Amino acid sequence: MKDFAISDDPAVQAQLDRLGALSVPQGRLGLETVTALLGRLGDPHKCLSPVFHVAGTNGKGSACAFLRAILEAQGHKVHVTTSPHLVRYNERFRLAGELISDADLAALLAEVLDASGGGGGDLSPSFFEVTIAAAFLAFSRVPADACVVEVGLGGRFDATNVLPPEAVAACGIAALGLDHEKFLLAPESGVPEEPIVRIGFEKAGIAKSGVPLITQSYAPEVERELIRRAAIAHAPLAMRERDWWTDTGDDAIKYRDHDAALTLPIPSLPGEHQAENAALAVAMIRHQDKVQVSEAAIAQGLQNTSWPARLQILSNGPVTDVLAGRSVLLDGGHNPQAGAALADWLAKAAQPIDAVMGMLASKDARGFLEPLAPHLASLTAVPIGGHENMPPAELAALASELGIAQTHACDSLEAALTKVPKRAAGTVFVGGSLYFAGTVLSANREFPD
């Protein structure tokens, strides 16, 4: 499945049309294609400012947001590439703190796409391979002090994993869970058989010789695999609860490692799980020596961080106008681990809670919904335009099976909003997919900047 991308700018849309026509040859894995493409572009990935490279199932995007905010609080200029975009494809390219302009994006994509094919030299790259090649090319041309790069899928064969060790300041692995099973658990000889260990194996593929690898704490069998992979890669390993520790209280995060102890503010991003993502970002900063960052900048960065579609309360707009009087909570979480974190938050939200939800067909809808169901008074299911989604009728039926009292299936967000029970107070939770979250932000005229 390719990411859906549209633009109001005709020049950008012309390139997005070319990008959307790309597909991955069936069964192809490896970094050969993106490496060849970057070679045609002059190997820009080999001349970047120090890179913070982040993998994981849940929280890697938030960890990247914390890293960016911390580095910028120090006064550094920071390049960032994350995925997916929510509303505009431009969101994938942040150059020295600013989203790329339409004019620069159109020219950049044209250059990379032109280099990738034609004249008997067609490389047949994927959507994401072109995207990452474009990001690294842009990063190489605009001065900055650091780069933050989010892994797209897995780690071992992710297009971002072409980064050479000398370009990377630190690698990090966020929370792990089962997601993208079709790709990350594909049969292969010589890999771990237990699913969650295989996930750890894939994420640890970003480990690089001489580059600190910072991890959260995991089940013992996963930690043993990460230790093994780090040793094979000759990557210095800093594991939570072994090399760094954190304790979150009501008003502060207590962080310590073998060299220092820090008392830091609670992050600005809501949700207890965000303290865990913030701690990973802090540990990555602390365990590298290529970019200088003070304790004051770390503290300020945690308070400055913003990240759309993560427990975001929507502002006034066309969507919230239809739901007048209700608090509208938007989140793009979509797997069982995200569902559990969301359930903790919904337990404290204003009652009753009605949900509007769309999910991709490839996701574990039952695993995501089970922890949420006890907190929901109703659920209205919708499709996700441009993607293979779970049919709304199936999602509504699953919600009913899990004990949600009122369920509906609609063919659009607009229709779904009219089905949400009219109440004077309480919360409307909107989510189930980052792609659906982008649809909602666009409909409410809230565009990530």
Side-chain angles (χ1 to χ4, degrees):
M1 183 190 68
K2 302 186 290 291
D3 289 337
F4 188 68
I6 59 174
S7 174
D8 292 333
D9 184 283
V12 173
Q13 188 60 55
Q15 301 308 317
L16 292 180
D17 289 342
R18 296 175 67 190
L19 192 61
L22 301 177
S23 61
V24 179
Q26 193 66 30
R28 171 162 73 76
L29 291 173
L31 302 176
E32 293 81 10
T33 298
V34 68
T35 299
L37 176 55
L38 287 163
R40 293 183 181 184
L41 296 168
D43 289 327
H45 60 302
K46 296 181 179 179
C47 52
L48 302 182
S49 303
V51 175
F52 293 83
H53 196 196
V54 188
T57 307
N58 291 299
K60 64 183 185 290
S62 296
C64 287
F66 284 118
L67 283 166
R68 173 197 164 201
I70 290 169
L71 292 163
E72 289 182 340
Q74 185 65 43
H76 294 310
K77 296 291 187 182
V78 186
H79 297 324
V80 184
T81 182
T82 57
S83 62
H85 59 276
L86 293 173
V87 179
R88 296 199 305 155
Y89 181 79
N90 307 56
E91 297 164 35
R92 295 170 181 258
F93 306 83
R94 187 172 294 274
L95 306 180
E98 302 294 331
L99 291 187
I100 192 169
S101 69
D102 283 339
D104 288 343
L105 178 58
L108 180 70
L109 286 178
E111 181 176 358
V112 176
L113 287 163
D114 288 348
S116 72
D122 185 17
L123 292 175
S124 298
S126 68
F127 180 108
F128 193 69
E129 287 168 331
V130 168
T131 298
I132 292 304
F136 290 165
L137 183 60
F139 290 0
S140 72
R141 292 172 171 173
V142 178
D145 304 299
C147 304
V148 176
V149 174
E150 179 186 3
V151 168
L153 178 64
R156 183 167 59 121
F157 292 130
D158 186 76
T160 64
N161 207 29
V162 294
L163 291 164
E166 58 271 20
V168 184
C171 297
I173 302 178
L176 298 180
L178 298 182
D179 202 357
H180 301 291
E181 293 95 331
K182 178 180 177 182
F183 301 98
L184 300 185
L185 300 183
E188 183 181 346
S189 62
V191 301
E193 293 185 2
E194 186 176 349
I196 191 62
V197 179
R198 172 70 182 279
I199 295 293
F201 167 85
E202 295 293 342
K203 307 296 185 183
I206 68 170
K208 298 168 180 66
S209 179
V211 178
L213 176 65
I214 296 86
T215 72
Q216 294 278 18
S217 56
Y218 314 102
E221 62 272 21
V222 176
E223 293 192 344
R224 287 192 293 270
E225 180 62 23
L226 296 184
I227 291 170
R228 186 183 75 85
R229 293 286 289 166
I232 291 172
H234 303 289
L237 182 61
M239 303 184 77
R240 184 174 177 179
E241 306 302 334
R242 190 192 76 171
D243 304 294
W244 61 277
W245 300 262
T246 184
D247 180 49
T248 303
D250 291 336
D251 56 1
I253 296 176
K254 301 287 187 179
Y255 169 92
R256 65 183 176 90
D257 52 38
H258 295 303
D259 297 319
L262 310 180
T263 299
L264 301 168
I266 297 295
S268 57
L269 294 184
E272 293 180 4
H273 60 289
Q274 292 296 2
E276 308 296 305
N277 299 325
L280 177 66
V282 173
M284 290 181 67
I285 293 288
R286 292 280 307 155
H287 285 86
Q288 59 81 43
D289 58 10
K290 290 190 175 183
V291 184
Q292 296 303 306
V293 180
S294 68
E295 180 179 347
I298 292 173
Q300 188 61 52
L302 296 187
Q303 294 180 306
N304 290 351
T305 304
S306 63
W307 194 225
R310 279 75 176 180
L311 292 177
Q312 177 182 356
I313 300 296
L314 292 184
S315 301
N316 293 335
V319 171
T320 53
D321 286 348
V322 177
L323 304 169
R326 312 289 298 279
S327 174
V328 183
L329 178 69
L330 177 69
D331 193 274
H334 49 261
N335 57 37
Q337 295 76 27
L342 280 167
D344 290 341
W345 185 257
L346 292 181
K348 305 167 188 174
Q351 305 292 319
I353 302 171
D354 300 294
V356 177
M357 192 173 296
M359 294 198 72
L360 297 182
S362 59
K363 300 304 178 183
D364 179 3
R366 179 179 292 274
F368 177 70
L369 263 181
E370 278 183 337
L372 298 178
H375 305 286
L376 301 180
S378 75
L379 184 145
T380 304
V382 297
I384 305 173
H387 299 277
E388 294 180 16
N389 57 262
M390 185 175 186
E394 290 185 19
L395 184 55
L398 174 61
S400 181
E401 179 186 334
L402 292 174
I404 299 174
Q406 290 182 259
T407 63
H408 305 280
C410 294
D411 59 6
S412 68
L413 172 63
E414 293 75 18
L417 294 177
T418 68
K419 288 290 187 180
V420 175
K422 306 301 181 185
R423 308 186 196 274
T427 302
V428 176
F429 166 67
V430 185
S433 163
L434 281 169
Y435 297 108
F436 179 50
T439 298
V440 175
L441 286 172
S442 180
N444 203 48
R445 299 177 188 167
E446 290 190 59
F447 304 108
D449 59 3

